[in-house]
């Protein structure tokens, strides 16, 4: 048996008040997985447990070194998850509103979520 790629989905997430790249990355991953239905993996491939999947996440972030990868990984409900962060995304000056965050930096993160399944 060999792992084969079955799903690639892209997502976008932003933190508008505070520049929190982890929050933006979590939103990007949630955005990507919100458009994925795993019916084919069960109905066609016959997997029985969604934890049989390997989920690889690649994040483009303006500050990849600030990402808490474990927190990003935690938004994926099934599978063996790995997360890699690279330079990307963007930051831009926004509006400081103390009630909404700790700064005026908007950060945007892009996510590519790829699902692999071990099949004959």
């Amino acid at each position: 048996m060999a792992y084969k790629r079955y799903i690639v989905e892209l997502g976008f997430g932003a933190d508008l008040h505070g520049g929190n790249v982890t929050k933006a990355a979590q939103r990007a991953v949630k955005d990507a997985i919100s458009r994925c239905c795993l019916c084919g993996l069960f109905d066609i491939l016959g997997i029985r447990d969604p934890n049989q999947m390997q989920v690889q996440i690649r994040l483009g972030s303006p500050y990849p070194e600030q990402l808490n990868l474990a927190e990003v990984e935690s938004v994926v409900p099934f599978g063996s998850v790995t997360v890699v962060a690279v330079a990307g995304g963007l930051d831009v000056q926004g509006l400081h509103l103390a009630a909404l965050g700790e700064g005026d930096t908007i950060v945007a993160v892009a996510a590519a979520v790829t699902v692999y399944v071990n099949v004959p």
Side-chain angles (χ1 to χ4, degrees):
M1 291 211 262
Y3 278 93
K4 295 185 180 182
R5 180 179 54 169
Y6 283 91
I7 295 171
V8 177
E9 188 62 62
L10 305 177
F12 169 83
D15 180 19
L16 301 178
H17 303 280
N20 185 322
V21 290
T22 298
K23 185 185 294 185
Q26 287 176 310
R27 290 175 176 166
V29 172
K30 287 179 183 179
D31 180 50
I33 65 176
S34 73
R35 288 187 298 279
C36 297
C37 182
L38 304 175
C39 298
L41 299 181
F42 289 82
D43 295 348
I44 297 169
L45 297 180
I47 70 168
R48 304 256 187 260
D49 179 357
N51 288 310
Q52 290 177 254
M53 299 181 300
Q54 283 189 356
V55 181
Q56 294 182 2
I57 300 170
R58 185 173 171 91
L59 302 168
S61 169
Y63 311 108
E65 70 284 352
Q66 293 178 12
L67 280 163
N68 182 325
L69 300 182
E71 285 186 28
V72 175
E73 181 180 317
S74 74
V75 303
V76 179
F78 305 111
S80 171
V81 182
T82 58
V83 182
V84 175
V86 299
L90 83 106
D91 66 352
V92 64
Q93 185 176 2
L95 175 65
H96 176 70
L97 296 172
L100 298 176
E102 297 183 18
D104 68 350
T105 301
I106 297 171
V107 290
V109 173
V113 177
T114 306
V115 175
Y116 295 85
V117 178
N118 195 7
V119 294

